Amino acid sequence: MKIAVFSTKPYDRQFFDAANQTYNYDLTFFETKLTQQTASLAQGFTTVCIFVNDEPDDITLEILARNGTRILALRCAGFNNVDLAKAAALDLQVVRVPAYSPYAVAEHTFGLILTLNRKIHRAHNRVREGNFALEGLLGYDLHNRTIGIIGTGRIGQIVAQIANGFGLEILAYDLHENADLTAIGVKYVPLDQLLTQSHIITLHCPLTPDSHHLIDDAAITNMKQGVMLVNTSRGGLIDTQAVIKGLKSEKIGALALDVYEQESDLFFEDLSDRIIQDDIFQRLTTFPNVLITAHQAFFTEDAMQNIAETTLANINDLDNDRICPNLVQLPATS
Ligand code: NAD
């Protein structure tokens, strides 16, 4: 089995090479993203392995299928970037890694919340410059404040458990209630009520046509003055222009992003010697109360190991005609 692995960094190779000791597949690592322009690199590879910012759109999938690819193996949970209807029409099998470490993302989420609330990012810079003043660093106790969690699946559930440890009141909004969470006092409420009552709002639902720009002007209008908004899910959940307006009016008191709508042009690359052309992103970086990490919430040893092992196990299931539990359900073809 020949597998083309796109968007790879040295750390991907390290974990995939280790997991591949079990399978001995013929892995070829490409640094480039999978796009319409690079798809022909996968000629003759039955399996193509991709990550969050690859671009398996209709034309890319056509090129892959024409050149012999049968399996698209996502080494991530979200599959919002894949043209699923096209994959179905081309009879491609799509697999993913639904859960590699909800702890990694949930813990990072709290890292962002604590940093923003106590201004640790600013304090760190000040102390390094010999400025030991506290003005501007005032935070609040998390204890007894209210956090609103949108999406209480694998990651949202761990976020709720951590929040519970801090003594936060927890409101949740999801299409399905999680009984383990109601048992620890999480209160499911309509979205509007969550937006109105939460001091901190954190997003953990997938990006779908329904959830695109879930946080827009209207949603922000409903929020508490000075709300903290955290997105470690997918950039498209937030209308970035609306959020910038909210930051300028000070309705939003703090913003943490690990994901960004246009991240595919920026994230995972060292662009420190280049001029960033994305003016919206650059505007975000000018606010003292905005904290951005470049899609690193998943990035722990445990998660990387699980991602590599599960991806190769998924491929192995399909290769051996076994039922793969991580197959993405494709729409029916007409
Ligand atoms: P999950 O499928 O276990 O849970 C998602 C939850 O969202 C489910 O309970 C679902 O019912 C709910 N949901 C779906 N649509 C909703 C909507 N419109 N409003 C409210 N709730 C809705 O997924 P998960 O493993 O918890 O992951 C959540 C998201 O986190 C993923 O979709 C992915 O985009 C993102 N993610 C980010 C990183 C990162 O590194 N930043 C890593 C992994 C996952």
Side-chain angles (χ1 to χ4, degrees), residues 30-193:
F30 295 105
E31 282 178 31
T32 180
K33 269 200 300 196
L34 175 71
T35 63
Q36 294 178 10
Q37 288 70 39
T38 63
S40 59
L41 288 169
Q43 178 142 26
F45 288 85
T46 34
T47 298
V48 166
C49 176
I50 59 169
F51 195 45
V52 288
N53 289 329
D54 288 293
E55 296 170 13
D57 57 20
D58 54 346
I59 292 173
T60 304
L61 292 181
E62 252 171 39
I63 298 168
L64 293 183
R66 200 185 317 132
N67 288 336
T69 298
R70 309 292 349 128
I71 299 171
L72 193 63
L74 276 66
R75 53 181 194 279
C76 52
F79 47 88
N80 51 287
N81 53 340
V82 184
D83 186 331
L84 295 179
K86 192 67 184 180
L90 293 167
D91 211 15
L92 288 171
Q93 291 181 295
V94 181
V95 282
R96 67 179 182 130
V97 185
Y100 38 86
S101 173
Y103 302 99
V105 182
E107 289 169 12
H108 190 77
T109 302
F110 260 88
L112 296 174
I113 291 171
L114 290 170
T115 304
L116 266 182
N117 177 34
R118 304 305 295 271
K119 284 88 175 169
I120 295 169
H121 55 309
R122 302 187 66 196
H124 175 71
N125 289 336
R126 280 190 190 183
V127 170
R128 288 166 72 95
E129 292 189 2
N131 175 356
F132 305 106
L134 297 186
E135 281 87 353
L137 301 184
L138 192 66
Y140 52 76
D141 287 10
L142 291 184
H143 181 79
N144 276 345
R145 297 276 168 157
T146 301
I147 188 169
I149 304 175
I150 300 181
T152 53
R154 296 175 190 89
I155 295 169
Q157 167 160 359
I158 307 298
V159 169
Q161 288 165 353
I162 296 173
N164 197 36
F166 275 99
L168 279 151
E169 298 292 323
I170 307 168
L171 301 180
Y173 169 71
D174 197 308
L175 313 176
H176 313 284
E177 291 196 8
N178 177 334
D180 290 343
L181 294 187
T182 43
I184 61 165
V186 173
K187 210 166 127 200
Y188 280 89
V189 294
L191 182 59
D192 276 357
Q193 189 179 338

Side-chain angles (χ1 to χ4, degrees), residues 213-227:
H213 286 187
L214 185 76
I215 304 300
D216 58 7
D217 280 316
I220 294 167
T221 302
N222 268 340
M223 293 177 191
K224 263 188 191 306
Q225 185 67 29
V227 65

